[in-house]
Amino acid sequence: MTQKAFNTRFAPSPTGNLHLGHGYSALFAARKAQETDGKFILRIENIDDGRCSTEAEKGIYDDLSWLGLNWDKPVMRQSERMDAYKAALVTLLEKGVLYPCFCSRKDIQNAIDDDLNAPHSFEGPIYPKTCLHLSQGEIDVKMATGVPYALRLNSEKAEALIGRDLTWFDREKGEQTVDLSVMGDFVVARKDIATSYHLAVVVDDAAQGINLVTRGVDLFPATHAQVVLQALLGYPTPEYWHHKLITDDNGTRIAKRDNPLTLKQMRQSGMSAQDVLLWLEKEF
Ligand code: GLU
């Protein structure tokens, strides 16, 4: 039997310099494609205007080239894909599975403050559905007075359409049944742009024919949200491979907020790419 060719992607947000954790993730995706004669795709996830920079984007190309990685060209940049996200949003609106949410972060925090057991997702508190209970009249007034709003998934309506038996497969943890409560009524379109991380990723993974999504296990919960969007939009669900997060020599997870040594610093200090690859190799 021939092995299925896996099209994989590495999808960094150009908000800073890459570190060893990114190097591992990129190498992981590239290998799964290479081993099966599939495509390795690099996608620049730069919907966040204020946090992304072209300088950081250039750094990504330089770092990955230094590590000897080759990716499919041209590179998809999410900032150029807003029309595609809008079209998907219209489809979801037509299905009646979204509702406007006028809450600020503070409103949400206040609403859950009384509830010590309020559930959280990796993106923060699970939304307490405050705006789901607004009347059409209240919504009309807020919209007419220009109160900014996000669009959230109405998970009950979504469940009515997709059922309760939706599954996805993780190559590390096996078959998973979609659990809508993991992400709750998550944001599908932010207040400032007509998309969100989840919607953009789902639209682009489908457009690029990604059939194996590899990424860190920290994004495991996000997959519950993304598989729901795939089902609602009629897209195929890829396989997933959530890989471990690599740690430094002290066993601490390498994370951007701790200012770890970056690939750029390693490159500029004269370290050889071979040394970095050897270090990463022991993680596989
Ligand atoms: N852009 C996301 C990040 O940098 C990754 C998205 C994904 O792999 O689905 O964390």
Side-chain angles (χ1 to χ4, degrees), residues 9 11-13 45 197 201 215 219:
R9 73 342 183 248
S13 300
E45 303 216 318
Y197 155 62
V201 160
R215 57 187 178 195
L219 285 172

Side-chain angles (χ1 to χ4, degrees), residues 40 46 51 56 59 75 89 107 112-113 117 147 149-150 153 175 189 192 210 226 230 241 248-249 251:
F40 168 55
N46 59 347
R51 294 176 59 230
V75 169
L89 200 58
D107 294 332
I112 63 165
D113 266 352
N117 298 319
V147 182
Y149 61 93
L153 185 81
E175 179 148 289
D192 56 335
I210 303 297
Q226 293 173 15
Q230 287 153 6
W241 198 325
D248 62 19
D249 295 338

Side-chain angles (χ1 to χ4, degrees), residues 9-15 22 25 43-46 78 197 201-202 205 213-216 218-219 222-223 226 240 242:
R9 73 342 183 248
F10 175 54
S13 300
T15 55
H22 296 111
S25 214
R43 187 167 71 223
I44 300 295
E45 303 216 318
N46 59 347
Q78 289 194 326
Y197 155 62
V201 160
V202 161
D205 283 341
V213 171
T214 65
R215 57 187 178 195
D218 52 333
L219 285 172
T223 307
Q226 293 173 15
Y240 287 82
H242 291 95

Side-chain angles (χ1 to χ4, degrees), residues 125-152:
I126 298 278
Y127 182 60
K129 300 185 192 250
T130 320
C131 288
L132 183 61
H133 309 299
L134 292 177
S135 68
Q136 192 55 48
E138 288 168 318
I139 293 174
D140 291 345
V141 169
K142 284 184 191 287
M143 285 195 176
T145 50
V147 182
Y149 61 93
L151 291 169
R152 289 185 178 272

Side-chain angles (χ1 to χ4, degrees), residues 84 87-88 91 199 202-207 227 229-238:
T91 304
L199 183 64
V202 161
V203 169
D204 290 344
D205 283 341
V227 174
L229 292 180
Q230 287 153 6
L232 290 168
L233 291 166
Y235 299 155
T237 287

